[in-house]
């Protein structure tokens, strides 16, 4: 996976073969925050520095930094799948939200 996480912020990392550098941008916020490095350790450090700079810049400007991801998202599925998911949640004794969150956690951890 080509992502890094720091202080709740997630960055997508890519490679630029023309300049031979790794670069990234924080995802899930409205502001644009980018960084780069020539190695994995450099890009990790640059990401941490970018988050710290972003947070400090917001503080100095007297504004709240964008929050990464609200924890809410809408997923549209066909009605048959919706019914199956609701039934699976009920069978597990969980709310639909809890069942989906637990299932997504299992999948992410298995592929993380």
């Amino acid at each position: 996976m080509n992502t890094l996480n720091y202080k709740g912020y997630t960055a997508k990392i890519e490679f630029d073969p023309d300049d031979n550098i790794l670069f990234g941008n924080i995802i899930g916020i409205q502001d644009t925050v980018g960084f780069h490095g020539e190695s994995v350790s450099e890009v990790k450090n640059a990401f941490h520095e970018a988050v710290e700079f972003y947070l400090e810049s917001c503080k100095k400007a007297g504004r709240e930094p964008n929050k990464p991801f609200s924890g809410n998202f809408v997923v549209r599925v066909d009605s048959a799948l919706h019914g199956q998911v609701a039934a699976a949640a009920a069978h597990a004794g969980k709310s639909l939200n809890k069942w989906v969150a637990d299932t997504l956690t299992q999948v992410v951890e298995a592929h993380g």
Side-chain angles (χ1 to χ4, degrees):
M1 187 174 285
N2 296 328
T3 59
L4 294 173
N5 295 292
Y6 179 68
K7 290 194 171 181
Y9 291 91
T10 300
K12 181 179 177 186
I13 308 301
E14 298 181 55
F15 177 68
D16 182 344
D18 295 331
D19 291 330
N20 201 34
I21 63 167
L22 296 165
F23 67 94
N25 292 292
I26 295 176
I27 59 173
I29 63 173
Q30 292 179 345
D31 293 326
T32 301
V33 180
F35 54 91
H36 66 274
E38 293 183 7
S39 69
V40 172
S41 63
E42 277 187 25
V43 84
K44 282 182 181 179
N45 288 335
F47 171 47
H48 292 190
E49 290 172 6
V51 169
E52 295 295 344
F53 180 79
Y54 173 65
L55 295 173
E56 186 61 31
S57 296
C58 288
K59 184 178 179 180
K60 286 181 181 178
R63 70 178 188 92
E64 286 292 317
N66 292 158
K67 299 283 186 206
F69 304 106
S70 68
N72 295 311
F73 65 96
V74 175
V75 178
R76 287 177 175 61
V77 297
D78 67 43
S79 60
L81 179 58
H82 191 172
Q84 290 172 322
V85 170
H91 180 73
K94 299 178 181 180
S95 70
L96 185 60
N97 282 338
K98 177 70 172 147
W99 186 88
V100 169
D102 289 350
T103 302
L104 290 174
T105 299
Q106 290 173 359
V107 171
V108 168
E109 288 176 353
H111 292 92

